[in-house]
Amino acid sequence: MVTREQAYEIFRQAGTFREGHFLLTSGRHSGEFFLMPHTFQHPALWEPLAKALAEQFVGQGIETVCGPATGGIILAYEVARWIGLLQGGTGPRAIFTEKTEGGMALKRGWSLRQGEKVLMVEDAVTTGGSVKKALAALERFEPEIVGVGCLVDRSNGQHGFTVPFRSVVQHTVESYQPAECPLCKAGVPVVSPKV
């Protein structure tokens, strides 16, 4: 298992965890931001994080690991690979959902059996919106959703999942309305981290 300190060291080395003054997608401001795609630039560096997430779901009969595009694509592959390695077999397959108008869909000819055991993974969860859209895309197949896993849980317990939810680390995100932001009041320039 990876300790919290080890996980943050990986995020810092990858350039994922950043401190400053950030404009969030919600319009709020924060002094911290996780730019999760940076994590996946260096496979050997973040491999322990994928293993730590997979360890939490070993032995549950998972047949497929699914992730919402784009944050869950690489993670689904690595978690599926690690579940297989840890169980001593070939492990589950890895697939992903893709964005559509108003939601997500399972495309590319992929399908699921009724009752197929599926694990949904995402790089980070704040509101759980992407995961919920990905889960909705699978409903027509009637799989058994074993759980949801992520590297960073920023939801502060507000994700709303009805299945087991596991993460490698939990991180409380302090955010502010622009008019109440102490960083704005201190004159620190605000940046949009995804640009």
Side-chain angles (χ1 to χ4, degrees), residues 59-77:
Q60 297 186 31
I62 295 165
E63 299 169 90
T64 298
V65 180
C66 184
T70 60
I73 295 175
I74 296 172
L75 185 61
Y77 169 83

Side-chain angles (χ1 to χ4, degrees), residues 61-192:
I62 295 165
E63 299 169 90
T64 298
V65 180
C66 184
T70 60
I73 295 175
I74 296 172
L75 185 61
Y77 169 83
E78 273 299 295
V79 169
R81 188 176 76 84
W82 269 109
I83 289 173
L85 290 171
L86 293 166
Q87 293 180 160
T90 57
R93 68 179 173 149
I95 61 175
F96 56 90
T97 59
E98 299 177 65
K99 292 180 183 178
T100 61
E101 267 188 48
M104 289 197 173
L106 199 57
K107 297 181 179 181
R108 303 177 191 274
W110 283 327
S111 65
L112 300 166
R113 285 185 344 274
Q114 182 178 11
E116 186 169 340
K117 293 188 174 189
V118 176
L119 170 64
M120 183 66 68
V121 297
E122 175 67 300
D123 55 6
V125 169
T126 304
T127 64
S130 293
V131 170
K132 289 172 189 165
K133 287 177 183 176
L135 290 170
L138 305 185
E139 283 178 357
R140 70 184 182 104
F141 300 103
E142 300 181 6
E144 178 186 339
I145 305 301
V146 174
V148 172
C150 69
L151 297 181
V152 180
D153 172 12
R154 303 180 300 206
S155 72
N156 299 329
Q158 303 301 308
H159 51 75
F161 300 134
T162 58
V163 295
F165 176 51
R166 308 281 183 267
S167 65
V168 176
V169 296
Q170 293 179 331
H171 186 88
T172 301
V173 178
E174 298 238 6
S175 66
Y176 313 93
Q177 291 294 342
E180 302 163 355
C181 177
L183 296 163
C184 286
K185 291 175 183 175
V188 178
V190 65
V191 298
S192 180

